[in-house]
Amino acid sequence: MFKEIGFINVVFLAAVIVTLYRVRKALPGSGLRAWHERHVSPRARAPWHRILLLEFIELVLAAVFLLVGGAKLIGRPDMIALFHDIGIGQWFRYVTGTVEVTGAALLVIPLLTGGSAILLGGVMVVATLIEFFVLHRPPAAALACLGGHTFVAWARMSKRHLAWLNAETIVGNKSAWPSVLDGEPRSSHHHPRRIDFDEPSPRPR
């Protein structure tokens, strides 16, 4: 997946991450947006370290796949040589690059992050098998990305974590902040106590 990483590549990757950070912060449902607007409820006790860690991992993965997929689509020499060694044909390079760039774009959108992580995780499973059985080299980079996508998919789709991942609810529904952020979401509407009309009314004194 990665042949060599130089200083220029790291700087370019950091620039892409910063750009995606600004885009992600403006989108509805973003934990970054909720973190920047956390002053709307001083009583909130959000697990911001987990929220920001997840958002950072998603942005790094999106930036990596945007660059790697883009390199495949523009026909960078090392990518052409890689798919020549695989032996299927250059059409497979275009298909893989398209899937990676599309998945990276969807990974930035909070509401689509879970599905995108599953899609790109499947790509990494195929990449791991190709590197191990066809190219005969350790699939370290592919396994690292697969681990990141697995974590993102689990965090986004696990019911246990939906309360603190639903940042749009946290920001939009101020009255639900304390309950949602404690992991016990409840409706902001008031439900009065049900009155049983079969009960005898108290006698007047």
Side-chain angles (χ1 to χ4, degrees):
M1 183 177 178
F2 304 104
K3 188 173 182 180
E4 58 182 46
I5 300 177
F7 177 75
I8 300 299
N9 301 103
V10 174
V11 173
F12 196 42
L13 178 64
V16 175
I17 293 175
V18 172
T19 303
L20 296 180
Y21 174 89
R22 295 180 179 275
V23 174
R24 181 65 170 266
K25 188 174 65 173
L27 295 176
S30 170
L32 297 176
R33 179 179 178 181
W35 183 69
H36 282 281
E37 299 181 12
R38 64 192 183 280
H39 61 276
V40 299
S41 177
R43 297 172 56 195
R45 298 180 299 276
W48 293 116
H49 61 286
R50 289 184 291 179
I51 295 175
L52 297 180
L53 174 63
L54 177 63
E55 299 265 338
F56 176 74
I57 293 175
E58 291 170 351
L59 291 180
V60 171
L61 290 173
V64 167
F65 279 84
L66 189 63
L67 295 179
V68 174
K72 292 181 175 68
L73 292 178
I74 65 176
R76 208 169 65 181
D78 58 334
M79 292 297 175
I80 295 178
L82 172 64
F83 283 84
H84 175 74
D85 294 338
I86 293 175
I88 298 179
Q90 294 300 318
W91 66 268
F92 189 52
R93 170 171 60 86
Y94 289 107
V95 172
T96 306
T98 301
V99 173
E100 289 179 345
V101 171
T102 303
L106 297 178
L107 199 61
V108 180
I109 305 174
L111 299 179
L112 302 177
T113 300
S116 176
I118 295 177
L119 172 65
L120 293 177
V123 173
M124 287 300 96
V125 170
V126 176
T128 299
L129 296 176
I130 289 176
E131 292 201 14
F132 191 78
F133 292 104
V134 178
L135 302 177
H136 305 289
R137 64 187 186 188
L143 288 177
C145 291
L146 178 59
H149 290 306
T150 302
F151 171 75
V152 171
W154 168 78
R156 286 286 177 182
M157 297 188 171
S158 175
K159 293 182 179 180
R160 181 180 178 184
H161 296 271
L162 286 180
W164 55 270
L165 289 176
N166 193 359
E168 186 176 12
T169 302
I170 294 175
V171 174
N173 189 1
K174 300 178 183 179
S175 61
W177 272 70
S179 57
V180 169
L181 297 177
D182 286 337
E184 299 177 358
R186 65 171 181 263
S187 174
S188 59
H189 300 289
H190 175 69
H191 297 282
R193 184 178 65 89
R194 188 177 70 86
I195 300 177
D196 191 350
F197 292 97
D198 293 334
E199 295 180 357
S201 58
R203 296 180 180 179
R205 296 180 181 179

